[in-house]
Amino acid sequence: MMKYFFFTLHRTPKRETVTDDFALSILKKHTAYFKQLGAEGKCLVAGPFADQSGELGAGCYIFAAETEQEALNMANNDPLVSEGLYNFKMYEWIKVVPE
């Protein structure tokens, strides 16, 4: 049975220690990674918040996964996370609409 997981993405102190060019190169990899997950039906929605300084963090996404561990693995393989520039908070989510 498919489960759903809602994530918020948060900037880490390491982000301030790298150049904007490096961060942009990782952001491009991050975007490509999420587009691939979307094409595979594993990422239902993803995107940045308009207010990057808000309490919710930089952005959010929802993964569809068989297990919590699968969702964690996908989140940890995000280039922004694997490079240590961002981390995430994960919440199991119950999808009601669409059925």
Side-chain angles (χ1 to χ4, degrees), residues 9 25 33-34 41 44 47 49-50 60 69 72 97:
L9 199 58
S25 73
Y33 177 68
F34 274 81
L44 304 184
F49 292 120
C60 69
Q69 189 59 55
L72 283 170
V97 176

Side-chain angles (χ1 to χ4, degrees), residues 7-65:
F7 291 81
T8 55
L9 199 58
H10 305 269
R11 185 183 286 235
T12 67
K14 183 178 178 181
R15 170 59 186 90
E16 305 308 320
T17 70
V18 301
T19 65
D20 286 342
D21 284 345
F22 177 77
L24 184 59
S25 73
I26 301 304
L27 181 63
K28 287 179 181 176
K29 292 177 183 178
H30 160 85
T31 301
Y33 177 68
F34 274 81
K35 285 184 177 182
Q36 180 62 42
L37 289 176
E40 295 171 5
K42 294 179 180 179
C43 182
L44 304 184
V45 63
F49 292 120
D51 178 1
Q52 289 287 296
S53 63
E55 67 182 63
L56 285 175
C60 69
Y61 49 94
I62 297 173
F63 285 160

Side-chain angles (χ1 to χ4, degrees), residues 77-98:
N77 286 326
D78 172 2
L80 286 176
V81 172
S82 63
E83 287 288 341
L85 304 182
Y86 287 77
N87 58 25
F88 58 83
K89 294 179 183 175
M90 182 180 84
Y91 310 87
E92 189 166 356
W93 181 67
I94 298 171
K95 185 176 85 148
V96 176
V97 176

